[in-house]
Amino acid sequence: MNDKSLDLDSYIDAVAAALGLPIDPAWKPAVRANLEVSLKLGRLVDEFPLPDETEPASVFSA
């Protein structure tokens, strides 16, 4: 992560408390790893340049 990295452990604790979701301490490293991957992929998507003319995809329902 960069120099502005989040304190992911505190974030996980805060979100779990806000949602009333107990997290077993044994699972915390897996939750952190998943969150790190999700943030990394999100940054890749966010950095991808799109032209101003780009429109959202159509939504089809049956």
Side-chain angles (χ1 to χ4, degrees):
M1 292 198 157
N2 59 24
D3 58 344
K4 293 183 179 181
S5 65
L6 297 171
D7 179 4
L8 292 180
D9 291 324
S10 295
Y11 179 75
I12 292 167
D13 291 338
V15 172
L19 295 174
L21 180 67
I23 297 178
D24 187 325
W27 282 98
K28 218 168 177 184
V31 172
R32 181 184 174 87
N34 184 285
L35 187 55
E36 286 173 340
V37 170
S38 296
L39 290 169
K40 181 180 178 182
L41 293 173
R43 280 188 209 99
L44 286 174
V45 171
D46 188 46
E47 292 172 358
F48 188 82
L50 291 175
D52 289 336
E53 302 81 35
T54 303
E55 295 287 333
S58 300
V59 176
F60 298 97
S61 59

